[in-house]
Structures are given as C-alpha cells and as structure tokens.
Amino acid sequence: MKRLKITNDHGWTPRKLRKQERKIKDASLCVRVTAVRLVMEGFLGKDVAKMVHLCRQLVSLYVARFNEGGLDHLLDRRLPPGRVPFLTEEQQQESRQLV
C-alpha cells in the first residue's frame, strides 16, 4: 500500500491547520481538515482513518483534494442539483396561493 503524502501544502502548516480546525463550525468539514493535518504530521492513512472514524478511501480522497487545490478545494461541498420538480413553476405558484 502506498503511503499518503502531502505534495503541495499551499502554505499551510500543521499548526495553522489546527487553528483552522477550531474555527470551523461544521463537524464534517472539521474532520476533513483534521485528516489532512494528521497525514501532514506523518501518520499513515489507515491510522488516520481509525482516529477520525472514516474509511481509508475518504482520507485518501481528502488528501488528494488538498494537494490539488488547498484548503478551499478540500472544504468545497458541491452537491448535485437534485431531482426535477414534479410540478411546473405555475402549478407550484397555484398551490401556494391555494394554501
């Protein structure tokens, strides 16, 4: 198994990442930063996964995202657009007026 490695730290140090962890309110985003920080400190991916209660593949994905675009890319949450509404916009307006 290949060891996870931070190839581009984008100016972040483990100390700065720890401070950033404290500022983040969303727990899942905080876990991402923690995972990257632990890898940066030299822990193995499987050990980091156990520490932060994630699977090894997610830790690898988070490290890859961080290497690619830094902290902004790591914390970016792009969600799919979702399902197309069953009612048209006119029907939705009409139902709102009825209610």
Side-chain angles (χ1 to χ4, degrees):
M1 184 182 314
K2 196 165 96 174
R3 186 178 183 96
L4 292 176
K5 194 187 221 182
I6 303 294
T7 57
N8 188 350
D9 63 6
H10 301 278
W12 289 94
T13 63
R15 187 176 186 174
K16 287 181 184 177
L17 286 175
R18 187 181 299 267
K19 287 180 182 178
Q20 190 66 28
E21 287 172 36
R22 293 184 189 126
K23 293 179 185 176
I24 297 174
K25 302 277 189 242
D26 189 343
S28 63
L29 296 180
C30 186
V31 166
R32 292 180 186 196
V33 176
T34 303
V36 168
R37 179 183 54 82
L38 290 171
V39 169
M40 194 181 278
E41 289 176 351
F43 288 95
L44 294 174
K46 64 181 183 176
D47 296 333
V48 172
K50 286 180 186 175
M51 286 186 238
V52 295
H53 306 290
L54 294 173
C55 64
R56 184 183 48 80
Q57 289 87 356
L58 269 178
V59 173
S60 177
L61 174 71
Y62 294 158
V63 168
R65 280 184 158 186
F66 182 79
N67 286 335
E68 197 175 298
L71 194 65
D72 292 335
H73 190 61
L74 176 67
L75 299 178
D76 186 28
R77 285 182 137 174
R78 291 194 185 146
L79 299 175
R83 186 176 176 181
V84 178
F86 181 73
L87 299 174
T88 65
E89 188 63 37
E90 295 168 356
Q91 291 171 330
Q92 290 177 13
Q93 286 291 341
E94 189 178 319
S95 68
R96 286 185 195 120
Q97 289 175 357
L98 290 173
V99 175

